[in-house]
Amino acid sequence: LQCQHLDASGVVIDEFWLRQPRASADMGDGQENFLEAVAWLAFATGVAGGSLAVVKWVHADGTHRRDVAWRELGTELAVLTGAPTKMFGYASPSEAQGLASSSSRDGLH
């Protein structure tokens, strides 16, 4: 494609050409290298999948830590207040047995 810029008298002021690039030897007939495109797609998929796996693992770990913290808080509150262990959530009677003894004066070790 040729484009010419003419002035009022018809003299060519500027001219440029648009040409299709020639195919290189490793690109076949001018098409994009299919295997390279597949490799980049696999790489991008791996990065996205790895990122999602890390986010899922961090979320699961945080949820587990939160549940453990709530369970321990419920047990400690039950021991300190003398209230039933189920009143404060996750605590079970077997967890509270090791924290309080009937022989101690204030119920704590």
Side-chain angles (χ1 to χ4, degrees), residues 2 8 16 19 24 26 28-29 32 34 36 42 46 50 55 68 71-72 80 82 86 94-96 101 103 105 109:
Q2 177 186 10
F16 65 92
R19 296 183 184 176
S24 63
D26 64 340
D29 61 350
E32 182 179 341
F34 178 73
E36 183 180 356
V55 168
V68 168
R71 189 177 328 116
E72 289 175 359
L80 291 173
K86 283 293 183 185
S94 61
E95 291 178 271
S101 78
S103 64
R105 195 168 60 146
H109 284 239

Side-chain angles (χ1 to χ4, degrees), residues 14 16 28 32 42 47 53 55 57 75 78:
D14 193 15
F16 65 92
E32 182 179 341
V47 168
V55 168
W57 176 73
T75 302

Side-chain angles (χ1 to χ4, degrees), residues 14-109:
D14 193 15
E15 178 179 7
F16 65 92
W17 293 75
L18 296 176
R19 296 183 184 176
Q20 185 176 6
R22 293 190 177 148
S24 63
D26 64 340
M27 295 294 270
D29 61 350
Q31 299 296 321
E32 182 179 341
N33 188 347
F34 178 73
L35 292 178
E36 183 180 356
V38 169
W40 279 110
L41 180 63
F43 176 74
T45 302
V47 168
S51 298
L52 290 174
V54 167
V55 168
K56 183 179 178 184
W57 176 73
V58 168
H59 176 70
D61 186 54
T63 302
H64 172 71
R65 288 175 186 245
R66 182 194 62 206
D67 289 343
V68 168
W70 274 111
R71 189 177 328 116
E72 289 175 359
L73 177 65
T75 302
E76 291 172 5
L77 287 175
V79 169
L80 291 173
T81 61
T85 55
K86 283 293 183 185
M87 177 183 256
F88 293 107
Y90 297 106
S92 67
S94 61
E95 291 178 271
Q97 279 180 341
L99 297 176
S101 78
S102 59
S103 64
S104 67
R105 195 168 60 146
D106 58 356
L108 299 175
H109 284 239

